[in-house]
Amino acid sequence: MTVRQLRLVVHASDYDQALAFFRDALGMPQAEAYSGPGGAEVTILDAGRATLEICNDAQIDYIDEVEVGHRAAPHFRVALEVDDCATATEAALEGGAMPVAPPTLTPWTSLNARFDAPGEVHLTLFEERA
């Protein structure tokens, strides 16, 4: 058996707002879109390479302390690598994300910003600096 794709499925009660945020504000290209009965809608956005990051409690506490200053992440957090964290932060804010922590240089040499994004997604935007 081989896993071929990681797909994170977000149940967004305000579908249009979440779609506008991730597709338009953050610039994630639309890969597929489908409509179904009763007004059902789904759009699949390309996020580049996908990984699954498994962390224990101590690592989650450490990441939150470095990036935010206190425990902030719920059970799941989405992290998107961007070319320019400052520019992406502005786009996220203009797109309706609520700031949790500004761009912060981490000990692992990335610049990370945190948000509560449309679709009830706790979001990290990160820029690799090394």
Side-chain angles (χ1 to χ4, degrees):
M1 184 181 93
T2 301
V3 175
R4 300 198 184 282
Q5 181 181 161
L6 172 65
R7 185 172 290 179
L8 177 65
V9 178
V10 174
H11 172 187
S13 295
D14 190 335
Y15 173 82
D16 292 330
Q17 179 190 31
L19 182 59
F21 178 76
F22 288 100
R23 184 190 60 202
D24 304 334
L26 294 186
M28 296 174 71
Q30 182 171 314
E32 303 172 51
Y34 305 99
S35 298
E41 298 289 339
V42 61
T43 301
I44 299 166
L45 303 176
D46 188 349
R49 182 179 72 120
T51 61
L52 182 61
E53 183 174 325
I54 310 270
C55 301
N56 68 8
D57 291 336
Q59 180 65 21
I60 293 298
D61 290 341
Y62 178 55
I63 291 169
D64 277 3
E65 183 62 35
V66 166
E67 294 182 7
V68 182
H70 59 85
R71 184 65 186 260
H75 188 69
F76 288 100
R77 175 174 52 89
V78 174
L80 299 174
E81 183 178 0
V82 297
D83 293 331
D84 182 327
C85 190
T87 300
T89 293
E90 289 302 317
L93 294 172
E94 289 172 10
M98 300 303 298
V100 173
T104 302
L105 187 59
T106 68
W108 41 93
T109 65
S110 64
L111 191 60
N112 296 20
R114 288 276 193 101
F115 306 89
D116 286 323
E120 297 181 42
V121 174
H122 191 74
L123 176 67
T124 296
L125 297 177
F126 70 99
E127 172 189 342
E128 293 294 359
R129 299 212 132 181

